[in-house]
Amino acid sequence: MDARANGLTIKAPGRPLTGRVTPPGSKSITNRVLLLAALARGTSRLTGALKSDDTKLMAAALRAMGVTVEEPDDTSFVVTGTGRLQAPAVPLFLGNAGTATRFLTAAVTMVDGTVVVDGDAHMRKRPIGPLVQALRSLGIDITDTGGYPPVTVRGHGPFAPGRVGIDGGLSSQYISALLMAAACGTGPVEVALTGKEIGARGYVDLTVAAMRAFGAEVEQVDEATWRVQPTGYRAADHVIEPDASAATYLWGAEVLTGGAIDLGVPAAAFTQPDAKAQALIAQFPHLPAVIDGSQMQDAVPTLAVLAAFNQNPVRFTGIANLRVKECDRVAALATELSRIRPGLGREEGDDLIVASDPTLAGQVLPTRIETYADHRIAMSFALAGLKIGGITILDPGCVAKTYPAYWDALASLGVTYDEVA
């Protein structure tokens, strides 16, 4: 695909898609272990890593703070740290990378000096207030911009021992950010939820596993509390598993076309929360009438597009947090589904209802899909183009955020496109 193309019109293959595609490395794990390796003393080798816009922004920010980050090949980082981050000469620009922005907001509190954490226009609409409030409760001099980035941190060294409460209802990334920084504290730190809701608990488990791999001691005291010892981190070599969110598009393409796509790794081998979606995808075209997306949020766009061809309507619940992702994904999914066929998707409160119409398959319905600079909207609606003629994905280059080779991966399975200049 020409990166300059304004759109790609997908040609429905009309046959099962078969072949082997290896998904890229996990974005969630790559950005976690990049930071942990940077906070460790010594050299860590990270293999199977994702190289995308989000991870490149994280690596660039770490380099700006004195960490050596080398890239010997397309799937590896070699990170050498001193155990401390230095104040960067300029603000850290993190685009629309939510993981990097939230994680670094907590990590840079350990820097002696002032650090500004900023992002693009989209990131400046994504809330960070709960994390800032939690850090402020620890005595850290930190300000945000009306609850959003940019954030200014006037750091004075590691966390002091104590207990910090955090509202994780909007994003589990707030909890992960505190946990990772806490291991570099001067004493034990307890991180406690102030409410029962948590964005996606599985991602906190992912964080804890990564921390332990780099030598941290983390104890889950109860369902709402974690105790982190002041161990710091030690350098480690780490193999990063493939991205489960990326895998959902390939699982979706397989069931939609009746094909057989080998990902090189079984679904059961993934530790990421979105892998739970595979069990649902396998039920297509008999998806459940109600799907709770709270613990596999990034898989919801894939499931919603599959639901358009399902035998019965599907209601997606527990997805209010999708409104504060790269775009308002609840609204985007409803709008773009209904662009294909009026009434196909609609919002009801924070739920998404997909009307489902199996007869869509095989029709030619010229539709230009707005992607809102959101990689997941682009990749999920590409699946609709496997069954409906005339689907055009606008701004296809936005997939570079997490899966730069996405269009090439589909092409390797025999999918063809017309580029829109």
Side-chain angles (χ1 to χ4, degrees):
M1 185 201 84
D2 187 336
R4 297 166 295 180
N6 291 321
L8 287 181
T9 301
I10 299 167
K11 297 180 180 179
R15 63 169 181 79
L17 295 183
T18 60
R20 178 162 184 165
V21 175
T22 302
S26 164
K27 179 198 76 170
S28 299
I29 297 176
T30 299
N31 264 350
R32 282 164 170 78
V33 298
L34 272 172
L35 176 57
L36 297 177
L39 294 173
R41 291 181 178 272
T43 298
S44 301
R45 292 167 180 81
L46 314 177
T47 55
L50 171 67
K51 300 290 183 74
S52 72
D53 289 352
D54 276 19
T55 60
K56 289 175 182 176
L57 288 164
M58 172 65 99
L62 295 173
R63 290 186 183 107
M65 292 187 287
V67 180
T68 300
V69 183
E70 300 170 297
E71 301 184 40
D73 56 52
D74 289 343
T75 59
S76 300
F77 289 102
V78 178
V79 183
T80 303
T82 63
R84 293 294 301 274
L85 300 176
Q86 301 170 12
V90 297
L92 299 178
F93 177 76
L94 296 163
N96 195 15
T99 52
T101 300
R102 276 74 175 260
F103 295 170
L104 286 173
T105 293
V108 301
T109 62
M110 296 179 276
V111 171
D112 287 322
T114 298
V115 184
V116 176
V117 180
D118 201 1
D120 62 16
H122 300 285
M123 193 66 227
R124 288 184 173 191
K125 296 178 182 177
R126 300 178 67 182
I128 202 165
L131 176 58
V132 170
Q133 292 168 21
L135 291 167
R136 195 176 289 138
S137 75
L138 287 169
I140 292 165
D141 186 353
I142 180 171
T143 56
D144 57 26
T145 308
Y148 301 88
V151 176
T152 301
V153 179
R154 298 166 187 85
H156 296 288
F159 283 13
R163 182 180 176 93
V164 56
I166 179 69
D167 181 351
L170 279 178
S171 177
S172 65
Q173 291 172 6
Y174 304 152
I175 304 162
S176 291
L178 291 171
L179 289 170
M180 288 189 285
C184 297
T186 59
V189 176
E190 284 195 348
V191 178
L193 296 178
T194 57
K196 294 181 179 179
E197 296 299 321
I198 182 171
R201 183 174 290 272
Y203 284 104
V204 178
D205 297 337
L206 209 65
T207 298
V208 170
M211 290 171 64
R212 287 172 175 158
F214 283 81
E217 294 181 16
V218 189
E219 174 191 0
Q220 184 160 353
V221 179
D222 54 42
E223 281 297 299
T225 312
W226 295 262
R227 183 179 295 118
V228 184
Q229 298 298 326
T231 56
Y233 295 105
R234 60 173 179 265
D237 293 346
H238 195 82
V239 179
I240 297 162
E241 71 184 54
D243 193 279
S245 306
T248 66
Y249 311 118
L250 300 168
W251 291 328
E254 182 178 59
V255 299
L256 269 176
T257 66
I261 302 173
D262 180 8
L263 274 59
V265 57
F270 289 91
T271 63
Q272 301 152 72
D274 282 353
K276 296 181 177 69
Q278 196 276 337
L280 290 168
I281 291 170
Q283 297 178 46
F284 179 83
H286 302 289
L287 297 175
V290 178
I291 293 177
D292 179 353
S294 62
Q295 301 304 310
M296 48 182 171
Q297 296 171 14
D298 286 344
V300 169
T302 304
L303 291 164
V305 173
L306 289 180
F309 304 94
N310 201 49
Q311 291 294 325
N312 54 269
V314 180
R315 176 187 288 267
F316 292 87
T317 65
I319 59 172
N321 288 8
L322 267 65
R323 295 197 183 278
V324 293
K325 295 287 188 175
E326 281 80 345
C327 72
D328 180 342
R329 287 182 180 159
V330 180
L333 288 166
T335 299
E336 301 311 313
L337 285 168
S338 292
R339 206 184 294 276
I340 295 172
R341 196 215 71 189
L344 185 58
R346 65 183 175 89
E347 301 171 66
E348 189 171 285
D350 285 324
D351 292 356
L352 172 70
I353 300 170
V354 182
S356 301
D357 183 356
T359 68
L360 290 171
Q363 294 190 45
V364 177
L365 300 169
T367 309
R368 293 166 66 88
I369 300 295
E370 296 286 348
T371 53
Y372 310 90
D374 189 328
H375 55 131
R376 302 217 181 277
I377 298 299
M379 290 188 280
S380 58
F381 275 91
L383 299 179
L386 301 180
K387 302 300 288 183
I388 298 171
I391 298 293
T392 299
I393 306 298
L394 300 178
D395 186 22
C398 69
V399 302
K401 189 174 193 296
T402 54
Y403 197 166
Y406 181 66
W407 304 114
D408 292 337
L410 291 184
S412 74
L413 297 169
V415 180
T416 58
Y417 323 99
D418 287 329
E419 293 185 359
V420 178

